[in-house]
Amino acid sequence: MSTDLGVYYDVTDVEIIGSYTLRLTFDDGQKQIINFEPVLYGPLFEPLRDLNLFNQVQLNRDTGTIEWHTGADFNPVVLHDWPAYQDKIIASHRQHQAIMA
């Protein structure tokens, strides 16, 4: 699935529904249920493996996305089209881990 780069979405609601799992609602009415655990790596996202910290997720209506007080956030277009990006994000992490080993 490709994304039209001219399209932008805002996250309008976020709900914690499980460990590392959020239900996001977008301004076009689409919903995504995303388990973020497989992508919480690297200096920006690894701290969110602390579930108490992860659960401090907030909706920033100014930027239209979710964020944490640590500075971590996700592009709302990526969140909207998560199935198209998830495997690429995980593969990128695995490649980085292999290089660092």
Side-chain angles (χ1 to χ4, degrees):
M1 172 190 299
S2 65
T3 300
D4 178 356
L5 296 178
V7 175
Y8 191 83
Y9 302 100
D10 283 334
V11 178
T12 58
D13 189 52
V14 59
E15 179 185 357
I16 300 167
I17 62 170
S19 296
Y20 307 105
T21 305
L22 304 176
R23 177 184 294 126
L24 306 175
T25 304
F26 296 87
D27 58 356
D28 67 348
Q30 179 168 314
K31 295 181 187 292
Q32 287 285 4
I33 294 176
I34 301 173
N35 177 354
F36 287 89
E37 188 172 21
V39 300
L40 296 179
Y41 291 98
L44 189 58
F45 295 106
E46 188 121 2
L48 300 180
R49 291 193 153 279
D50 175 339
L51 191 55
N52 290 323
L53 181 58
F54 181 87
N55 287 341
Q56 294 175 26
V57 64
Q58 297 179 349
L59 175 61
N60 183 330
R61 294 195 187 279
D62 292 334
T63 60
T65 196
I66 55 171
E67 63 183 31
W68 290 264
H69 69 82
T70 61
D73 66 359
F74 285 88
N75 180 309
V77 174
V78 171
L79 295 172
H80 183 274
D81 297 334
W82 189 255
Y85 291 99
Q86 179 180 358
D87 291 342
K88 292 175 189 173
I89 293 169
I90 293 170
S92 175
H93 163 68
R94 287 185 181 144
Q95 181 179 19
H96 179 73
Q97 287 292 85
I99 291 170
M100 300 303 288

